[in-house]
Amino acid sequence: MMAGLAAIVFLLIRAIRNLGEILHLWQLGIKRGGFYAVRVWGARRKPLLMLLVIDTIVVVALICILSARIQML
């Protein structure tokens, strides 16, 4: 049970960091965000945003699954 709670905490941290990075890229704008994405992540801006959004959706789904399994115990 404690391992499940720890996993949920780590997944929540990952989701929050992904959302923070998405907001940061969004606030930088198209040109500066593109430079930032290439320099920091080594990827273009739009594919990076897509990857972060998909990763966040998967992480939230995992959190839901883990929390449902913990409640069943």
Side-chain angles (χ1 to χ4, degrees):
M1 184 161 151
M2 291 301 287
L5 291 175
I8 288 175
V9 169
F10 286 128
L11 288 172
L12 276 173
I13 292 170
R14 182 174 177 159
I16 291 169
R17 290 184 73 191
N18 282 348
L19 291 173
E21 192 67 29
I22 290 169
L23 289 175
H24 183 65
L25 280 168
W26 195 271
Q27 290 174 348
L28 285 175
I30 295 172
K31 193 169 186 177
R32 287 181 57 206
F35 288 134
Y36 172 79
V38 170
R39 297 243 181 204
V40 174
W41 290 87
R44 292 184 179 167
R45 182 178 175 265
K46 284 185 182 180
L48 177 61
L49 284 172
M50 294 281 287
L51 176 73
L52 288 171
V53 168
I54 291 169
D55 186 48
T56 305
I57 291 169
V58 169
V59 166
V60 169
L62 285 173
I63 290 170
C64 292
I65 291 169
L66 282 175
S67 62
R69 289 187 133 231
I70 289 174
Q71 287 177 359
M72 290 173 62
L73 293 177

